[in-house]
């Protein structure tokens, strides 16, 4: 008998295959021309899961994570008091993403961008932070589905 942990409910998908499937679902769902039309909140959640899958897949999937990291570095995040906004750490960026998600009227595409960025920023804050909880949940879901 095959367990969920060993092969996933769909058989072995591989990290890259799972990332590809979630990203395609996100793109098609945000476009909303087919049977699924993602609104802003679901698009944000799917993008977060897609970013988590991309981080696990590596290879070309690591490029969005590099872009986010370079953008944050360019804004002075983590550079101490010498940054243009003062001492801004990754936890503050994660909190800012949550505030934007909760307070702004987002389009599905903007929600997907916020969720994607959060999917790279939240795990970078480190284990044991409150931001690691959604990352752990997304990883658990992905491991159940993808094996």
């Amino acid at each position: 008998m095959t367990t969920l942990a060993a092969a996933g409910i769909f058989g072995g998908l591989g990290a890259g295959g799972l990332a590809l499937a979630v990203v395609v679902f996100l793109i098609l769902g945000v476009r909303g021309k087919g049977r699924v039309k993602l609104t802003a909140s679901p698009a944000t959640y799917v993008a977060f899961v897609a970013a988590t899958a991309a981080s696990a897949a590596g290879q070309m999937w690591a490029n969005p994570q590099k872009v986010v990291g370079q953008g944050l570095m360019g804004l002075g995040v983590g550079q101490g008091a010498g940054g243009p906004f003062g001492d801004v750490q990754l936890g503050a960026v994660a909190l800012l993403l949550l505030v934007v998600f909760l307070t702004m009227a987002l389009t599905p595409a903007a929600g997907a961008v916020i969720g994607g960025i959060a999917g790279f920023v939240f795990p970078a804050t480190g284990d044991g932070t409150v931001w690691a909880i959604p990352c752990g949940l997304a990883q658990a879901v992905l491991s159940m589905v993808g094996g």
Side-chain angles (χ1 to χ4, degrees):
M1 181 171 171
T2 304
T3 65
L4 289 177
I9 59 175
F10 295 109
L13 298 176
L18 188 57
L20 179 62
V22 176
V23 168
V24 168
F25 178 77
L26 176 66
I27 291 169
L28 296 177
V30 167
R31 284 187 49 211
K33 306 257 188 232
R35 294 181 182 194
V36 174
K37 180 168 177 58
L38 294 175
T39 58
S41 289
T44 305
Y45 302 137
V46 172
F48 185 86
V49 172
T52 303
S55 292
Q59 302 297 332
M60 71 165 240
W61 297 105
N63 290 332
Q65 185 173 10
K66 290 177 187 173
V67 170
V68 169
Q70 290 172 350
L72 292 174
M73 188 183 307
L75 291 173
V77 173
Q79 296 179 7
F85 296 103
D87 187 12
V88 177
Q89 300 295 318
L90 282 174
V93 175
L95 180 61
L96 177 65
L97 290 167
L98 180 64
V99 167
V100 168
F101 171 68
L102 293 175
T103 60
M104 289 186 66
L106 299 173
T107 64
V113 170
I114 294 295
I117 293 171
F120 297 124
V121 170
F122 282 22
T125 62
D127 292 336
T129 64
V130 68
W131 311 111
I133 296 169
C135 300
L137 179 61
Q139 290 170 349
V141 168
L142 290 170
S143 68
M144 285 190 315
V145 172

